[in-house]
Amino acid sequence: MNRPARPLAAALVRTAVCALAVGGCSAPGGLGAGEPAPPVSAQPQPESLWPLWTDHSVSGPGKPVGTREPPPQPLKNAPEVGPGGLPAVNVQDVVRADKQMKAFAAKGWINAPGKVGMRPPVFRDLTGDGSQELIVAADAETGRTALTVYTAEGTRIVPILFTIGRRPAVETIGGDLLLRTAADDGSEQAVRYHWDGERMRVVSDERRYSKSLPGCGSDRTPQPRRTDRYGQVCE
């Protein structure tokens, strides 16, 4: 009753030998000579399980809609922006109209590090519209620095970024803003902001180590760690 299975077994052996033979029965890639390639199937697309709880914008995929920040609002009682743009407005009046920065306006202006007060204003195009934004920073007695970026919407002035850090080094990379802050453990936090059409949003936030950490070995250089993985990691 089992004899009919022998031809089948022999056929399977011949198939295996053919597949393993050098220059076997099929061309590289698994296709026989003259055999057409199978059609490429469409790749599956992400599908949200809870669409109402998901922000589908490019700037913040997966961000909960319920915690979405409201858009920045124009400053009340701020000077109007004229044909000269933000470089032509009175910066001190802008700071006084901003409730998050007005406390620094009374400190006066400074022109060198190590003092308390408002740094000289800087103008850069961070939104890519050809007009310059106003960047204001103020150093406090606590050793921390408050920084705000203002843009113009018509004649109105809108704060599109406010952050406070420990005397950060502020740089631009193209149209992006980079804030680098040193920590007591020898690391450096680097936060990069990019205009998303509404505000300057964080696009990268890393902590970088410039020297070996205790316990990791003197011959190893720690790699950058993202903010949600702070601390020493020895693998």
Side-chain angles (χ1 to χ4, degrees):
M1 298 296 291
N2 295 330
R3 288 182 180 179
R6 291 182 179 178
L8 176 60
L12 293 175
V13 171
R14 286 196 300 271
T15 301
V17 172
C18 180
L20 294 174
V22 177
C25 302
S26 62
L31 298 177
E35 183 179 354
V40 178
S41 60
Q43 295 299 313
Q45 298 297 315
E47 182 179 352
S48 175
L49 299 183
W50 295 279
L52 296 180
W53 277 261
T54 304
D55 176 8
H56 294 283
S57 66
V58 176
S59 60
K63 184 177 180 181
V65 175
T67 59
R68 185 177 177 86
E69 299 174 81
Q73 298 299 311
L75 295 176
K76 296 180 179 180
N77 303 318
E80 290 190 352
V81 180
L86 287 173
V89 302
N90 187 310
V91 176
Q92 193 162 7
D93 288 344
V94 176
V95 175
R96 287 171 177 167
D98 187 350
K99 64 180 181 180
Q100 297 187 103
M101 293 291 292
K102 65 181 181 180
F104 299 100
K107 304 294 182 180
W109 298 94
I110 57 176
N111 55 12
K115 300 179 181 180
V116 175
M118 304 286 299
R119 299 182 186 181
V122 177
F123 300 90
R124 293 289 188 277
D125 181 8
L126 300 178
T127 61
D129 64 354
S131 299
Q132 293 184 315
E133 273 64 53
L134 166 62
I135 307 171
V136 176
D139 295 330
E141 296 89 342
T142 59
R144 301 177 72 82
T145 298
L147 181 142
T148 300
V149 177
Y150 303 94
T151 192
E153 290 186 358
T155 61
R156 302 180 301 176
I157 299 176
V158 182
I160 55 175
L161 172 65
F162 174 76
T163 183
I164 297 179
R166 183 181 174 186
R167 297 288 167 90
V170 186
E171 302 167 342
T172 55
I173 302 179
D176 292 356
L177 196 66
L178 180 67
L179 274 66
R180 296 185 293 106
T181 306
D184 293 335
D185 61 359
S187 66
E188 176 189 80
Q189 185 180 10
V191 184
R192 185 168 179 168
Y193 297 88
H194 179 80
W195 171 249
D196 69 354
E198 186 175 83
R199 57 166 52 85
M200 299 296 292
R201 190 180 297 277
V202 175
V203 292
S204 67
D205 189 345
E206 296 181 348
R207 177 158 293 186
R208 306 166 181 172
Y209 293 91
S210 59
K211 62 183 180 180
S212 297
L213 296 178
C216 287
S218 58
D219 59 341
R220 297 185 61 187
T221 301
Q223 298 300 312
R225 303 294 181 188
R226 292 193 174 276
T227 51
D228 58 348
R229 296 181 183 177
Y230 281 166
Q232 177 179 333
V233 179
C234 300
E235 301 171 345

